[in-house]
Structures are given as structure tokens and as C-alpha cells.
Amino acid sequence: MTERMRTIYLDHAATTAVDPKVVEAMIPYFTEHYGNASSIYSLGREARKALDEARRTVADILGCKPEEVIFTSCGSESDNLALRGVSLARREAGKGNHIITSPIEHHAVGHTCEHLEEHFGFEVTYVPVDEHGVVDPDDVGRAIRDDTVLISIMYANNEVGTIEPIAEIGKIAKEKGIPFHTDAVQAGGTLDLNVDGLNVDLLSLSAHKFYGPKGVGVLYVRNGTPLLPTQTGGGHERNRRAGTENVPYIVGLATALRLAYDHVESNNQRIAALRDRLIDEITAEIPDAQLTGHPTNRLPNNASFVFKYVEGEAILLNLDLAGICASSGSACTTGEAEPSFVLTAMGIPPEIAHGSLRLTLGRENTAADVDYVMSVLPGIVEKLRMMSPLYAAR
Ligand code: PLP
């Protein structure tokens, strides 16, 4: 008998398991309090009460008014509503058709900008990032034009974990009177979400990144920010997002967010210590391994790397065989692995960007998980290099 293989989940940036306490809070709203929150009888009023309470919980953590919270179906929808809603509303008001963003945004922002450019005639400026993936607020300031209608810069990057100077960018946007959106999907559950401290007018969240269910998100919209709804129908969410509210999922989102911020500092500290061990040991023990993203100003759970002379996909397959779930920045399309656009925007040459690996820790990970990764990863990289013609020809 071989030793039972362990499964170690190190892909919390992709998604997280739903906390059992969250499931427990959700269940009654499927089976018992299943009314439509718009109905006037008591079953409907129970649902409305839960919805209002969830909205207050989110507002409390964001430091905003409950009516500034819109519940959506996911982070992607929140980003779409922010970008399309503000750009189209402000253009209609004659404010212009120019958007500012970065080249390292998640596709929910990046592809939406492209769509607005290609199909709606908007012009998009991509401010650069430095070698650590950081946007310079002065570059954002310089990119602002008389016809700029929206600025959207992510709070923390999903691949390399770099945290952006959101409050500084927001200050510049505020001085110029331009709405500022941040995609905080990766920051939700670990970083401070106070919207006034961050100087943001719009902020996106997704529950499945902080131990809530998949398929429910938040868009915070500061009162007074012009927003054209992108989904029309009933008057839900104060006419900004039509659709019968998904009460059980919204309760799940609010419960998960509350739980995450109840213990945020101790959780962050414990996880960051594991992250730092991964970073220190991987860069010390594996030759030609390089940390990607900012060395210190990064998400507490993100350890991301490039390894010269190997393919990220091959590392992932071998880690999977060893029971480790991880991720790489390269997207394998039509059999041809594309290097990560985030890494190439940071100036990492495509041939090196191909060898990327992202390990993202979570609540259930322990020091023993780090030990296990260190017992298998160096050998995997070495084995792959031995088979690599690039390594032989280096
Ligand atoms: N934005 C960022 C930074 C993300 O990491 C993700 C998900 O990976 C999204 C947006 C999309 O969120 P959702 O999966 O809820 O649509």
C-alpha cells in the first residue's frame, strides 16, 4: 500500500470552499423563508428583512450607506455594471467617451473596456505598470483628459497579488471630478474595504473569493454617481439592477463577509507567515525561481513565481499528480499556451512568463502544507528542466 495521497488546495484566488456557517445561514432562505422580497405578505416580508439586514452588513464593512450597495450575480457582473453603467450614463450627459484603466485588470474589466471600445466607440487609455505590477498614480493623473468619463484600476491583482495605490489614485480622480471604480474582488475578505478611505465611487466584490457561494456579488455605487442600468426589468435594487433578489445567496455573501472581517487581522497574519515561508523557501531552494508581483505590498495569501526553462502548465499537471491544486498565469488555448498578459505587462519576457506558478493560501492551510509543497516542487521543476531542450541549450 502506498501512502494515501493528500489533497492540498492552494488556489484560493480562483475560488474558496463555502464556510459551513455560511451554508447554515443560507439554508432557511431556500426552504422556509422562500418568499419573494417584493411580496407584501409575511413570507415576502421575511425575505425583505433578510435582504435589508444583508445590505446593512455589507454597508457596515464598506463604511457606506445601505442604499449604495447593489447585489449582483458575480464579480464579473459588478465590473460590467460599473464600467458600462457609468461610461454610458456620462457619455449621454455629454461628458465624453474616454476611459482609463490598466493593462493588468481581470478580463471582466479588460474585455469590457475592449467591448466598449469596439462596439460603443469609447477610447481607452491603459496606464502602464512597473516591474512589480504597480500603477503610478501620477500616470493616471497625466492620462486624464477633459473627456474622461471613468477610471477603473483594480485593488489587488489576481495573478501576482500586487496591491495598487487605490487611495492615491482616488484622490486624483476626486480632484478632477471623475468617477473611480476599483475591482476589489481579490481584496475582499483580506484588505480594508472602507470606500471613503479608498476614495472610490464604485467597488466590486464577489462572495466566492471569501468563503461565500459562487454566483453572487456586490457593486458599491456612491450616491450621486451616474449609472445607467445594464439589466432592465423590475425596479429591484432601486432601479439599478433588475431581477428577483437571490436572497439565500445574498445572505450567504453578507455572512461570509462578516465572518472574514471578524477575524481579518489574525487570519492575515497567519496566512502571510505561510506565504513568506513559501516565497523564501522556493526562491532559496529552486534555482532560477523568481518572485512575481510586489515583494512586500501584496495580498497576504499570494505567492507567485516564474521558473525559467519550464512550462507553468507542466508544473501544474505534476503538482496535481502530487495532490496539490495550484494555478498558472498562462491560458492554454488551442493547445498553444499563451504567456500571461499580466506578467508581460510587467516586462517579464514571454519565454520566462510561460513558466509561471501561482500558489494562493487560505484558512485551512497549515505549515505542514508548506512542508509538503517544498518536499515535491523542487523535484518537479528539476525533472521538467531535465526534459527541456531550452534548459539543455542555456
Ligand atoms: N475580478 C477579479 C480580480 C477576479 O479575480 C475575478 C475572478 O477570478 C473576477 C473579477 C470575476 O469574479 P466572478 O468569478 O465572481 O465573476
Side-chain angles (χ1 to χ4, degrees):
M1 276 284 279
T2 54
E3 194 192 335
R4 192 174 67 86
M5 199 175 69
R6 312 167 54 179
T7 295
I8 295 179
Y9 187 72
L10 288 173
D11 204 14
H12 292 81
T15 197
T16 56
V18 183
D19 187 315
K21 290 196 201 96
V22 171
V23 178
E24 201 185 314
M26 291 170 69
I27 284 174
Y29 294 95
F30 288 109
T31 50
E32 224 180 300
H33 314 298
Y34 54 83
N36 185 319
S38 302
S39 302
I40 57 164
Y41 41 78
S42 63
L43 212 55
R45 290 201 307 273
E46 282 165 6
R48 168 66 53 190
K49 196 164 155 256
L51 188 60
D52 290 347
E53 201 177 309
R55 207 184 298 280
R56 277 195 300 273
T57 301
V58 174
D60 186 37
I61 289 165
L62 270 56
C64 70
K65 299 184 187 71
E67 76 262 20
E68 294 174 314
V69 172
I70 301 178
F71 290 113
T72 66
S73 69
C74 60
S76 299
E77 187 194 329
S78 301
D79 287 343
N80 268 264
L81 179 55
L83 270 79
R84 294 178 197 278
V86 172
S87 303
L88 291 167
R90 291 203 83 217
R91 182 164 73 184
E92 198 179 58
K95 301 290 185 194
N97 69 343
H98 177 237
I99 299 167
I100 298 171
T101 189
S102 86
I104 62 161
E105 301 293 315
H106 187 273
H107 284 327
V109 168
H111 285 173
T112 304
C113 283
E114 282 169 26
H115 201 259
L116 286 167
E117 219 171 3
E118 285 164 21
H119 301 281
F120 293 85
F122 284 91
E123 227 185 293
V124 181
T125 297
Y126 297 86
V127 290
V129 292
D130 69 9
E131 73 270 29
H132 300 311
V134 182
V135 170
D136 181 345
D138 290 337
D139 284 335
V140 177
R142 279 188 286 271
I144 293 174
R145 312 192 315 207
D146 288 345
D147 62 346
T148 304
V149 290
L150 175 69
I151 301 169
S152 181
I153 303 288
M154 70 200 320
Y155 193 170
N157 182 265
N158 44 302
E159 273 181 47
V160 297
T162 296
I163 299 169
E164 300 296 343
I166 294 304
E168 285 96 313
I169 298 170
K171 189 164 170 274
I172 294 170
K174 203 193 261 178
E175 279 161 13
K176 301 272 183 176
I178 299 166
F180 177 40
H181 166 248
T182 192
D183 174 345
V185 169
Q186 288 292 334
T190 52
L191 304 188
D192 182 10
L193 296 182
N194 185 283
V195 291
D196 288 340
L198 290 170
N199 291 325
V200 295
D201 301 303
L202 303 108
L203 177 146
S204 304
L205 291 173
S206 177
H208 75 102
K209 307 292 185 180
F210 47 83
Y211 309 89
K214 295 167 187 59
V216 60
V218 159
L219 179 64
Y220 155 76
V221 185
R222 188 178 292 278
N223 276 341
T225 308
L227 188 87
L228 214 60
T230 55
Q231 183 164 301
T232 48
H236 311 91
E237 301 295 298
R238 305 175 90 231
N239 289 317
R240 293 165 302 178
R241 197 268 182 187
T244 301
E245 300 86 349
N246 190 348
V247 177
Y249 278 60
I250 291 168
V251 167
L253 178 145
T255 308
L257 197 63
R258 164 62 60 216
L259 286 171
Y261 283 95
D262 275 351
H263 306 289
V264 69
E265 269 161 37
S266 55
N267 275 338
N268 284 355
Q269 257 177 30
R270 193 188 71 82
I271 289 172
L274 298 179
R275 172 203 66 186
D276 291 343
R277 263 196 65 202
L278 277 173
I279 293 173
D280 292 347
E281 293 180 21
I282 288 174
T283 51
E285 290 181 30
I286 304 181
D288 290 315
Q290 184 195 324
L291 178 72
T292 53
H294 197 279
T296 52
N297 200 19
R298 58 191 301 132
L299 287 172
N301 72 337
N302 178 298
S304 55
F305 308 90
V306 282
F307 301 96
K308 268 189 185 168
Y309 318 113
V310 279
E311 292 288 336
E313 303 281 323
I315 302 176
L316 294 189
L317 292 174
N318 280 272
L319 284 175
D320 184 36
L321 290 174
I324 298 170
C325 309
S327 155
S328 159
S330 57
C332 205
T333 50
T334 63
E336 193 89 2
E338 290 286 330
S340 147
F341 66 89
V342 172
L343 298 181
T344 50
M346 288 161 54
I348 296 177
E351 66 277 13
I352 296 177
H354 272 299
S356 63
L357 174 68
R358 177 186 76 180
L359 303 172
T360 46
L361 295 141
R363 280 182 202 163
E364 73 282 7
N365 292 125
T366 62
D369 296 344
V370 174
D371 293 341
Y372 182 61
V373 170
M374 292 317 299
S375 74
V376 296
L377 183 62
I380 289 172
V381 174
E382 193 184 349
K383 181 183 83 177
L384 292 171
R385 282 182 175 157
M386 288 306 153
M387 299 186 315
S388 160
L390 289 175
Y391 189 63
R394 77 194 185 280

